[in-house]
Amino acid sequence: MSRLLVVSNRLPVTVSAAQGEAIVTPSMGGLSTGLRGPFERSQGLWIGWPGDLSKLGDAARASALKELQALRTLPVELTADELRQYYEEFANGVLWPVFHYLLDRIPVHSGGWEMYRRVNAKFAAAVAAQYRPGDTIWVHDYQLLLLPGMLREQLPDARIGFFLHIPFPASEVFRMLPWREDVLRGMLGADLIGFHTPSYARNFASAVVRLLGHEPVVDELNVAGRKVRFRAFPMGIDTETFTAKVEPSDESFRPRPGEHLLLGVDRLDYTKGIRRRLSAVERVLQRRPDLRGKLRMLQIAVPSREKVTAYQDYRRRVEEMVGAINGRCSTLTDAPIHYMYRGFPQEQLIELYRAASVMLVTPTRDGMNLVAKEFAAARTDGDGVLVLSEFAGAAEEMPEALQVNPFDVDGMAQAIEQAIDMAEGERRSRMAGLRARVLRFDVHKWAEDFLAALTDVELGAPALPTPPLAAGEVAEAARAAALAGRRVVLLLDYDGTLVPIAPRPELAAPDRELLRLLEELSIKTCLSVHVLSGRPWQDVERWLGGLRINLHAEHGLYSRIDGHWRARGAAPEDLREKVLATLERVSANTPGSHVELKAAGLAWHYRLAEREQGAHQARELRLHLRELLVGTPLEVLTGDKVVEVRPRGVHKGLIAHEILRPGDLVIAVGDDRTDEDMFAAAPEGAFTVKVGLGATAARSRVHDVAGTRGLLRALAERL
């Protein structure tokens, strides 16, 4: 298999200093566990920050770097200033609250963006230096959102995956981020983008449509000629660890006969809903006096980002709340809330999971929350109840849990009471469903599924980039052909090729420069000029009818050769009326869109519509029209922000076949999907030119309309 390069903010090991010596400690995280198999099998390399090495002496530092190299890890060292601005101020101070919908926590002055960009570039340089052709690169999480795009620029043929381990917010929230387009372009550098849930993937697609205008087809986007897939890969846990037998270490936390133990295990983070959870427990004790002395909650708060002011404030408020509740609800012999601000060894956590009557996992927003899955896996006895926030990613996979709205304290209190009072049969039935799913879809399957999908994206050789047009060489070839007595045929699309795309049809009239260029070309006896437009023939005649060139309208349905317009077909009037009624109804429901009436065809334009609504309406309209027009002489054509209906079988390629003769030198220029028929009909040796970005069969490319006009000027000068 290809070598796997894993890139994450932190390495799967941490380097620390103790008495002048370097200590390298392995991580117990789910990511390192899940990737261990493919990482080892591929003899991979893990790239990330190792921790602060600045406190190590030269000898200890050299020892640490040697050990890291032996573990096939490559440290990306960060200065204290880089870490503060990139990690604390921007990644955790801006991105974390935005992606978790906590808009009140976004600072007024959002610093750190420039440093975030620079550190992502630092990671990109480290990866590019290690990359070998055939390697698979897998980038992880919100600290490195720009990295896939940076790697794509440096390694255009690399296979790149990206996985986001936190939620992707609704587009209305994501759009509040000032650097939103840069973030999306960074993510779109990947070939495959993974999320924990389908809803996060849908939110991402919505943001891409609204902000960048790329319209997805199911789970795929076309970005600058590349296919980018995005979908959900729900992360699991290492089930073998949590189903293993553990030796009892401390009996003091086990519930006494008749006592109910509630358990919460969280990083001390404001997204985890700890304060609201504590309020719900107090509400239960207030409503159920019979539970006082029989209900005990153990809240483990694992220290997190202790240097960040917002986390210091949150810790203080949680601890004040614990004290206040215990002051109000304690009995002479016991306090209802037992709060521990520290981490626990995994073996002890498993013991706690197995001892708890009810597990409370109630974040206000969480990408997945593996604690819920750990609890289910650990319950080898088949008992216990999980109370789970509907805003945790895990909720989409765990319907058997008692799902709650963490903002509804009364609702959470009711769920806790329901869990306490639940009959054993129901408890075991619910837990059986939870365990079956958790045990089947573990972290190893998550990693395998993502890497398999990433491999599928890259099946076959990557498409070669379309080279830029050399206008001078084309003009010289045309000159040589003319001198040899060959006819030079120039096939030109109109909108987006000769003139910029206009928001309204009436704004697409040619300017003086274009008319002068076409006039110069029209008098070249060796040159046959054809303009092929999707516009109605009346517009084409009004704009270009004074020139001695050949004109084609409605994608070839109408042609003017030798000065006379002729039609190749017509739409049945009754069917046309049905289509028109449909288009007008969609247009009325889509502000910014409009219907264009043509002699035989019809078009619905949505360039000025809100992007997501326009894309959605276009998809629905295409499906409806294709169903409506089955077996009729009309067909649906998709263009750039337009859906057209035209007589079946009429397209620009048909025109090319009709007008070309053996021996012609053909130069064809176009910008959208309707022009691909023209490129396909061009003979061997033709010069086919794509205007702008996007996948194409054309052999060369120009950036915009100015590039097309540069070609026309070169032809006018040399023929």
Side-chain angles (χ1 to χ4, degrees), residues 32-53:
S32 58
T33 301
L35 295 183
R36 187 179 301 131
F39 182 77
E40 293 297 333
R41 288 194 298 272
S42 72
Q43 290 295 291
L45 180 68
W46 200 308
I47 300 169
W49 181 58
D52 186 6
L53 304 185

Side-chain angles (χ1 to χ4, degrees), residues 4 111 134 197 201 217 226 239 306 372 381 400 518-519 576 582 649 670 688 695:
L4 177 62
T197 72
V217 178
R226 289 190 308 111
T239 55
E306 295 176 274
D381 62 347
E400 296 87 355
L518 293 175
E519 179 65 36
R576 177 183 162 88
T582 298
T688 51

Side-chain angles (χ1 to χ4, degrees), residues 311-452:
Y311 285 77
Q312 294 170 352
D313 292 343
Y314 187 69
R315 175 187 175 185
R316 176 181 51 79
R317 286 188 289 164
V318 167
E319 292 176 353
E320 287 175 353
M321 191 171 188
V322 169
I325 293 173
N326 280 339
R328 289 189 291 266
C329 300
S330 291
T331 66
L332 289 173
T333 57
D334 202 5
I337 310 292
H338 291 245
Y339 170 81
M340 297 185 180
Y341 180 66
R342 63 183 177 88
F344 273 70
Q346 199 165 65
E347 293 77 9
Q348 274 193 291
L349 279 180
I350 294 171
E351 284 189 82
L352 289 171
Y353 289 150
R354 291 174 179 172
S357 310
V358 181
M359 184 81 208
L360 301 178
V361 181
T362 58
T364 55
R365 189 72 59 171
D366 217 337
M368 173 54 71
N369 197 299
L370 297 178
V371 167
K373 295 187 175 185
E374 291 173 2
F375 172 70
R379 294 309 295 248
T380 52
D381 62 347
D383 206 348
V385 181
L386 173 63
V387 176
L388 178 62
S389 166
E390 64 187 71
F391 298 126
E396 295 194 21
E397 298 177 84
M398 308 183 85
E400 296 87 355
L402 295 182
Q403 297 199 8
V404 296
N405 177 353
F407 296 95
D408 178 5
V409 173
D410 280 328
M412 281 197 290
Q414 290 172 10
I416 292 171
E417 289 184 63
Q418 181 183 350
I420 291 170
D421 296 335
M422 189 178 293
E424 182 180 357
E426 183 180 351
R427 294 199 308 266
R428 291 187 174 278
S429 176
R430 287 175 177 270
M431 184 55 69
L434 292 172
R435 282 179 52 78
R437 200 171 296 105
V438 167
L439 296 180
R440 180 180 177 190
F441 298 102
D442 64 5
V443 69
H444 305 290
K445 181 165 178 52
W446 167 78
E448 290 168 6
D449 286 351
F450 185 93
L451 289 171

